[in-house]
């Protein structure tokens, strides 16, 4: 019996029958998948879209609010919500209207409009940092923040937590193994040794944090205030405050990436826990699902950035390139959508609804696992909720990873998909959006109950 309490042979039998069911029920998706193989690499527009639990990719027809419909006409309750990109529901009405209005008024010009000014004001008010920059996605925001941090501090080493993910930024693709920083497994085409200028340490480990910073070469600690990409790992009480204190003590900057943890509430964990970072990053849902991300900086950091610009401009004679920015960053469509999203979608009342539902879901999971005598833990962070195949919530990325049981996770996800429920792939994360209803939560719990009853009845 595996540590999750479910046997591999039961999972194999269960999975075989769910795969057959998927194939039987999705002829149009299967036909599109076949056709796609001719001109899309691996039959999908981005390679990881074929890594889900389905035997063949599922093709979507339409998505609105908390639901989407596939090309075979099945309706799904969506608890994945684009892995946070649509945490406030698919195509929110104000964003849909904004897209329609902007559609005929210019999509991208390389020049700002009034929306940009309003976005700056709204971001400053909400996230309590005075100055902002806009990028095309959170990966870029983190990449540019890292450039600024290195330039300001004149230090090269980036400090991250083991098991982190901050987008496809090269410098964060490291893990902590036996006291050393090593490459993450699976990297394609890695040309140089990332451990030269990146250092990885375990989350919630104050001694490791101080030792890493005390070397005096760390430009910044880049972190999520709670880890969300290796399963969820919450900080010990006070740990994030210690991150702030120790980075200040050793002259390193603190970058807080709230791209996922913005699920917590209006200003994210940063506002709730009064973290006062040097840089603050948020992407994904900030423009209602239209590609966009932002980073905010404190007053002293903005001043240091101006000094950097002045020096570099003198050195380059004004003919250089900062290594930041892409043509479509801060385009007119994204700015319009971010403005209405901040004004009308990411509101206090939206959060109130989402938080109450996520809490109902977490209670439902706990009661369900207890009933089935499964020692699985459930972690909540605002609208985000995760169950993990371990008895106590993990405190580090390595512990969270040790609780992975991929075959079980994929079997449960596929069972739910076959019954019209989608949860986030690769781990067991759920999000509630403003259109999610109590009845949706109850259906997820009921279907998971059925899945577990079936699995546990199979010969082990
Ligand atoms: N930061 C965090 C914390 C993330 O989870 C992600 C994506 N999952 C990113 C940054 C990157 O976002 P994007 O893929 O939109 O660039």
């Amino acid at each position: 019996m595996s540590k999750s309490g479910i046997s591999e042979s039961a999972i194999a039998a269960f999975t075989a029958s769910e795969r057959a069911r998927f194939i039987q029920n999705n002829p149009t998706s299967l036909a599109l998948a076949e056709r796609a193989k001719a001109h899309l690499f691996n039959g999908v527009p981005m390679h990881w879209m074929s890594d889900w639990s389905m035997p063949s990719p599922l093709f979507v027809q339409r998505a609105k609010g908390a639901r989407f419909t596939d090309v075979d006409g099945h309706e799904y309750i969506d608890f994945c919500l684009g892995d946070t990109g649509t945490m406030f529901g698919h195509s929110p009405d104000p964003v849909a209207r904004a897209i329609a209005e902007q559609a005929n008024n210019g999509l991208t010009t390389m020049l700002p409009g009034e929306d940009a000014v309003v976005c700056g004001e709204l971001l400053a008010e909400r996230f309590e940092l005075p100055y902002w920059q806009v990028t095309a996605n959170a990966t870029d925001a983190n990449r540019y923040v890292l450039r600024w941090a290195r330039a300001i501090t004149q230090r090269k080493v980036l400090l991250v937590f083991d098991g982190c993910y901050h987008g496809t930024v090269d410098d964060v693709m490291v893990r902590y193994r036996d006291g050393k920083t090593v490459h993450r497994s699976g990297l394609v085409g890695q040309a140089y040794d990332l451990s030269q200028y990146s250092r990885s340490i375990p989350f919630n480990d104050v001694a490791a944090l101080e030792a890493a910073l005390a070397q005096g070469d760390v430009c910044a600690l880049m972190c999520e205030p709670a880890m969300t990409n290796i399963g969820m790992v919450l900080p010990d009480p006070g740990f994030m405050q210690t991150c702030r204190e120790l980075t200040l003590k050793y002259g390193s900057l603190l970058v807080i990436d709230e791209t996922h943890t913005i699920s917590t509430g209006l200003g994210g964990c940063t506002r709730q826990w009064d973290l006062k970072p040097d840089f603050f990053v948020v992407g994904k849902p900030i423009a209602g699902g239209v590609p966009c991300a932002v980073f905010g900086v404190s007053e002293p950091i903005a001043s240091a950035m101006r000094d950097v610009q002045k020096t570099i401009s003198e050195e380059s004679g004004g003919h250089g390139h900062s290594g930041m920015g892409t043509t479509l960053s801060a385009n007119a469509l994204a700015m319009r959508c971010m403005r209405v999203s901040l004004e009308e979608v990411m509101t206090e009342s939206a959060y109130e609804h989402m938080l109450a539902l996520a809490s109902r879901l977490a209670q439902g999971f706990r009661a369900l696992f207890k009933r089935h005598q499964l020692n699985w833990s459930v972690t909540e962070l605002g609208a985000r909720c995760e169950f993990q195949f371990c008895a106590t919530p993990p405190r580090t990325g390595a512990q969270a990873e040790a609780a992975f049981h991929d075959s079980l996770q994929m079997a449960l996800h596929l069972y739910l998909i076959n019954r019209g429920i989608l949860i986030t792939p690769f781990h067991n994360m759920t999000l509630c959006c403003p259109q999610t209803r109590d009845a949706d939560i109850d259906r997820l719990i009921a279907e998971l109950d059925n899945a577990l009853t079936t699995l546990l009845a199979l010969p082990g």
Side-chain angles (χ1 to χ4, degrees):
M1 187 66 62
S2 72
K3 53 192 178 317
S4 65
I6 313 252
S7 81
E8 245 6 285
S9 57
I11 295 169
F14 179 93
T15 302
S17 112
E18 291 304 318
R19 286 172 74 90
R21 184 177 173 129
F22 182 92
I23 288 167
Q24 171 84 28
N25 288 349
N26 291 284
T28 317
S29 267
L30 259 71
L32 278 178
E34 208 40 50
R35 189 172 141 202
K37 282 181 193 157
H39 296 296
L40 294 177
F41 176 67
N42 285 351
V44 281
M46 183 34 77
H47 69 85
W48 45 256
M49 288 186 182
S50 58
D51 294 341
W52 288 67
S53 55
M54 299 76 97
S56 177
L58 180 69
F59 285 77
V60 174
Q61 180 85 284
R62 177 176 190 269
K64 184 74 182 170
R67 288 176 157 64
F68 73 92
T69 311
D70 70 21
V71 289
D72 284 286
H74 308 119
E75 190 182 79
Y76 297 77
I77 308 169
D78 191 355
F79 291 97
C80 167
L81 295 166
D83 191 16
T84 315
T86 52
M87 193 173 75
F88 297 90
H90 292 287
S91 292
D93 288 339
V95 175
R97 277 195 299 275
I99 292 173
E101 279 160 26
Q102 194 65 38
N104 223 13
N105 288 328
L107 302 178
T108 185
T109 54
M110 279 186 83
L111 290 167
E114 190 187 351
D115 287 332
V117 183
V118 177
C119 283
E121 291 162 359
L122 292 168
L123 289 165
E125 188 193 329
R126 179 159 306 192
F127 298 113
E128 299 172 349
L129 284 168
Y131 298 109
W132 292 85
Q133 289 281 272
V134 180
T135 66
N137 52 53
T139 297
D140 278 352
N142 283 322
R143 206 188 342 256
Y144 306 159
V145 161
L146 177 55
R147 275 197 177 267
W148 282 118
R150 283 179 168 147
I152 290 168
T153 58
Q154 293 289 299
R155 295 175 176 185
K156 288 187 176 163
V157 175
L158 174 69
L159 185 61
V160 291
F161 290 121
D162 180 48
C164 75
Y165 184 72
H166 298 283
T168 51
V169 179
D170 280 353
D171 307 70
V172 307
M173 296 290 169
V174 289
R175 298 295 308 262
Y176 172 83
R177 289 284 182 271
D178 304 322
K180 289 205 194 76
T181 299
V182 298
H183 283 185
R184 244 188 114 120
S185 66
L187 290 180
V188 171
Q190 185 59 45
Y192 56 92
D193 178 4
L194 295 170
S195 68
Q196 286 176 93
Y197 299 127
S198 297
R199 193 169 294 149
S200 177
I201 53 166
F203 195 58
N204 278 325
D205 186 336
V206 175
L209 175 65
E210 180 140 28
L213 291 167
Q215 294 181 47
D217 54 1
V218 173
C219 66
L221 167 65
M222 179 177 281
C223 60
E224 292 187 275
M227 299 188 83
T228 65
N229 281 294
I230 186 136
M232 223 172 346
V233 186
L234 297 183
D236 290 345
F239 180 68
M240 284 313 300
Q241 282 75 12
T242 305
C243 288
R244 177 63 289 187
E245 284 155 23
L246 290 180
T247 43
L248 279 172
K249 177 172 170 189
Y250 291 104
S252 305
L253 302 176
L254 178 63
V255 180
I256 299 206
D257 177 358
E258 293 244 29
T259 296
H260 275 180
T261 52
I262 194 64
S263 62
T264 307
L266 265 192
C269 296
T270 298
R271 196 158 110 182
Q272 214 160 83
W273 301 341
D274 194 23
L275 296 177
K276 302 209 176 339
D278 299 294
F279 290 93
F280 174 96
V281 173
V282 62
K284 296 201 184 184
I286 196 79
V290 168
C292 188
V294 294
F295 63 92
V297 299
S298 66
E299 188 72 59
I301 293 297
S303 159
M305 285 160 71
R306 281 185 209 107
D307 291 344
V308 166
Q309 275 186 320
K310 192 162 167 279
T311 315
I312 288 193
S313 147
E314 281 161 13
E315 281 168 13
S316 68
H319 296 292
H321 195 292
S322 69
M324 292 176 270
T326 55
T327 315
L328 296 179
S329 303
N331 66 73
L333 180 67
M335 299 311 288
R336 180 105 204 99
C337 292
M338 175 159 48
R339 175 179 177 170
V340 298
S341 186
L342 289 167
E343 283 173 342
E344 298 176 53
V345 180
M346 296 175 72
T347 60
E348 189 77 64
S349 66
Y351 273 109
E352 259 169 43
H353 177 87
M354 294 152 68
L355 267 53
L357 282 170
S359 158
R360 180 187 177 98
L361 182 54
Q363 282 168 30
F365 281 145
R366 286 192 188 104
L368 178 65
F369 302 148
K370 196 163 171 209
R371 217 162 46 245
H372 287 284
Q373 298 182 333
L374 292 164
N375 274 328
W376 297 352
S377 59
V378 177
T379 305
E380 294 170 69
L381 195 69
R384 183 178 297 270
C385 178
E386 168 117 24
F387 63 90
Q388 284 152 304
F389 306 125
C390 50
T392 35
R395 286 186 58 246
T396 65
Q399 286 172 9
E401 193 173 32
F404 280 0
H405 186 165
D406 291 343
S407 58
L408 174 60
Q409 174 257 107
M410 288 176 88
L412 293 175
H413 288 216
L414 181 56
Y415 182 98
L416 293 173
I417 287 165
N418 280 336
R419 283 141 191 97
I421 295 173
L422 191 77
I423 67 174
T424 310
F426 319 133
H427 46 120
N428 297 311
M429 203 273 290
T430 58
L431 284 165
C432 293
C433 75
Q435 297 80 24
T436 313
R437 297 281 159 257
D438 283 350
D440 300 335
I441 305 290
D442 298 346
R443 237 191 84 206
L444 168 52
I445 297 293
E447 292 297 0
L448 195 56
D449 192 1
N450 293 338
L452 293 174
T453 305
T454 309
L455 253 175
L456 290 164
L458 287 166

